[in-house]
Amino acid sequence: MYSLAEILNEKCSCSTLDKERLSEEAYKFPLSEIRTHGIEHFYSETPSFIDISDKEKIRQILFSIRNALRLPEVRDRILSDHDPKEKGRDITGGAFLSLDFHQTKEGLKLIEINTNAGGAYLQLKLLEAQIRCCKIIDIAIQNTEALQDLEERFYSIFIDEWISKGRVGRPGFIAIVDVNPSDQFLYPEFLLFRDLFRSKGIHSEILDPDQIELIGEELYFDGKKIDLIYNRLTDFHLSEDTNLKILKAWKNGKAIVTPSPLDYDLYARKTNLNVLSDNDFLIKAGLDRKDSEVLRSSIPDTKIVTLGNAEELWEKRKSIFFKPKEGFGSKAAYYGGKLTKNKFSEIINGEYISQEFVPPSVRVTSISGEEMELKMDIRAYIYNDEILLLASRLYQGQTTNFRTKGGGFSPLYTLPEIV
């Protein structure tokens, strides 16, 4: 039996995007910044739907993951290359952790966990530019007050990060850091965060690591001490030469970095899914059977690729997706059914995981009057035990992208049991 969300995802082709209101957002920034980048290309005009029971399942998965990651034996296995004193620290996952899912007939399947997940603020702007086109949207859409509260929460999680690390008050200078930030695809989101911090009276700049100086043990830009870094770098361990100064300041407690290398290692290393899908190990480590069952049913079987299991993986390749251990996004990820023997040899001799292939669900939409099937994934933006925001991404191709006509971020509406 189909749920209401499934029916709407297959049959509803409404356009709920108020393009005029969305374009107004560009004019809130200086001409040289966002107007040359634009934000319209991030978005699909078509909404997506999940049932409230799915949102509750995401909450259960989140709690079960966090319960597993609190166990000493689990931390010892995941953080084996860290100083023992670090394993007992409160590791939140940092600002904008994400859980990424595919919807299946058997329920939601967790595909990835990411730190510094992009797009939350852009998704908020999308939700602000929605048209109430029918009764279902009218029931599910968030009102202006709720969206304003969410924006405030986006700000307050950075204050929470500051206070949870033993600081008082609030940071005087927050730097948003990435390599060549103005060339980054999500640069408009950096601008949104920068202006949010400035609106609260906090000095904020968007910086390349090369613009940051290490003076003594502290970080500076233009003579001003940096208190907190919103880390958007994909050098997750801050091990590249240009980032070593940030690593030193963070290790010495002279700057808060969120998410930090510890956040990444405990939550987002691809190999962690091998641990979280190892049901026997989790139970022996002390995980409650209810939590272990939640993880067993929601995390696809994940293995570390070795020479020892190469033959088995090749035989099963059509049911496997291969991902680099330290990868991000869709870089160097491969569906096994399309692999050549040469590429498979590179994977075996590289640093990869294998994951049971879980096809994404389909969102049927209309583009210029033509019906199209787009793939759909679901992202939950997380802070601690809280689901901040749910989003959908629509695309064609092997993995999520923002190049598909009619694709991009889609507002994800949670439907009540009875409409």
Side-chain angles (χ1 to χ4, degrees):
M1 182 177 178
Y2 286 95
S3 70
L4 179 59
E6 288 176 311
I7 293 170
L8 290 173
N9 284 331
E10 290 187 9
K11 303 296 183 183
C12 173
S13 57
C14 290
S15 173
T16 60
L17 180 61
D18 185 342
K19 294 181 180 179
E20 189 173 315
R21 178 168 180 178
L22 189 64
S23 66
E24 290 173 2
E25 288 297 323
Y27 289 88
K28 295 181 180 179
F29 298 93
L31 180 63
S32 62
E33 294 184 305
I34 204 169
R35 289 191 214 173
T36 57
H37 291 77
I39 57 176
E40 295 87 350
H41 61 281
F42 290 112
Y43 302 126
S44 170
E45 296 180 30
T46 304
S48 303
F49 304 92
I50 63 167
D51 295 305
I52 195 167
S53 59
D54 285 324
K55 184 175 182 178
E56 181 55 34
K57 183 63 180 297
I58 292 173
R59 198 182 310 278
Q60 291 172 3
I61 293 168
L62 170 62
F63 291 166
S64 296
I65 288 170
R66 291 182 64 80
N67 287 339
L69 295 180
R70 290 188 183 104
L71 296 171
E73 285 188 46
V74 174
R75 288 195 172 210
D76 284 344
R77 181 169 163 181
I78 290 176
L79 301 176
S80 60
D81 51 351
H82 282 269
D83 189 302
K85 67 182 181 181
E86 293 183 328
K87 297 176 185 178
R89 288 172 55 174
D90 178 29
I91 305 172
T92 65
F96 297 103
L97 184 78
S98 80
L99 305 182
D100 292 350
F101 298 91
H102 285 174
Q103 180 68 278
T104 74
K105 294 295 182 183
E106 293 75 39
L108 290 165
K109 300 293 183 180
L110 179 67
I111 303 303
E112 281 192 352
I113 304 174
N114 291 293
T115 46
N116 77 13
Y121 216 141
L122 292 170
Q123 181 75 6
L124 173 58
K125 291 302 174 186
L126 175 61
L127 292 173
E128 289 176 348
Q130 293 297 295
I131 298 168
R132 297 173 182 268
C133 66
C134 63
K135 182 180 178 181
I136 289 175
I137 298 297
D138 195 52
I139 291 171
I141 200 169
Q142 292 174 280
N143 60 38
T144 300
E145 184 178 345
L147 295 175
Q148 289 173 345
D149 289 345
L150 180 57
E151 189 168 43
E152 285 298 309
R153 187 62 184 129
F154 282 3
Y155 162 71
S156 69
I157 65 174
F158 290 92
I159 306 304
D160 291 349
E161 282 288 279
W162 176 256
I163 293 171
S164 71
K165 303 303 185 290
R167 306 300 203 268
V168 296
R170 62 183 192 170
F173 184 172
I174 297 177
I176 301 156
V177 178
D178 203 350
V179 176
N180 298 321
S182 62
D183 293 335
Q184 295 295 330
F185 184 69
L186 293 178
Y187 178 65
E189 183 172 57
F190 299 173
L191 294 168
L192 290 166
F193 276 108
R194 183 203 64 185
D195 283 17
L196 175 64
F197 299 141
R198 288 180 177 180
S199 74
K200 302 298 182 182
I202 295 174
H203 184 73
S204 184
E205 301 287 348
I206 302 166
L207 302 176
D208 182 285
D210 285 339
Q211 294 177 275
I212 297 173
E213 291 184 276
L214 181 67
I215 302 177
E217 294 184 333
E218 296 180 320
L219 301 174
Y220 285 81
F221 169 71
D222 199 23
K224 299 182 179 66
K225 184 168 76 73
I226 298 171
D227 299 308
L228 185 149
I229 287 178
Y230 177 20
N231 177 18
R232 297 293 293 253
L233 294 161
T234 54
D235 173 20
F236 302 114
H237 294 115
L238 302 176
S239 58
E240 295 173 8
D241 287 348
T242 190
N243 298 325
L244 290 177
K245 53 182 173 276
I246 299 173
L247 180 66
K248 182 177 180 180
W250 169 70
K251 280 193 167 183
N252 292 331
K254 299 300 182 180
I256 305 300
V257 177
T258 183
S260 72
L262 265 178
D263 291 319
Y264 171 77
D265 279 345
L266 185 61
Y267 283 89
R269 278 197 299 199
K270 300 292 187 292
T271 51
N272 293 0
L273 292 179
N274 170 246
V275 179
L276 293 173
S277 63
D278 188 343
N279 194 51
D280 291 341
F281 167 74
L282 293 176
I283 291 174
K284 289 176 183 176
L287 188 64
D288 180 274
R289 286 191 175 273
K290 180 181 177 182
D291 286 327
S292 66
E293 177 58 29
V294 168
L295 297 183
R296 187 199 64 75
S297 65
S298 60
I299 299 179
D301 184 44
T302 305
K303 292 182 172 65
I304 297 172
V305 175
T306 67
L307 289 172
N309 60 16
E311 186 176 345
E312 176 190 358
L313 294 176
W314 176 255
E315 291 298 321
K316 296 180 177 179
R317 67 189 182 281
K318 292 183 180 179
S319 62
I320 292 174
F321 207 82
F322 294 92
K323 299 176 182 179
K325 289 181 182 179
E326 300 291 340
F328 63 93
S330 60
K331 291 184 181 295
Y334 302 99
Y335 167 54
K338 295 184 177 180
L339 284 179
T340 64
K341 282 213 166 185
N342 284 340
K343 180 57 68 176
F344 184 70
S345 179
E346 290 178 22
I347 289 171
I348 293 301
N349 291 289
E351 296 285 315
Y352 272 78
I353 65 161
S354 70
Q355 187 178 71
E356 175 190 350
F357 178 58
V358 180
S361 59
V362 171
R363 176 68 175 100
V364 178
T365 186
S366 177
I367 301 171
S368 301
E370 180 183 355
E371 189 174 278
M372 292 187 64
E373 290 188 355
L374 300 180
K375 297 175 182 178
M376 168 181 161
D377 71 7
I378 293 168
R379 167 167 284 185
Y381 292 96
I382 303 294
Y383 184 68
N384 271 328
D385 291 330
E386 180 183 359
I387 299 174
L388 298 168
L389 176 66
L390 295 177
S392 169
R393 296 176 296 179
L394 305 181
Y395 62 100
Q396 289 179 331
Q398 181 170 277
T399 53
T400 307
N401 60 68
F402 289 88
R403 297 184 297 274
T404 300
K405 184 178 180 182
F409 285 117
S410 165
L412 184 63
Y413 292 125
T414 303
L415 301 178
E417 294 293 346
I418 300 175
V419 177

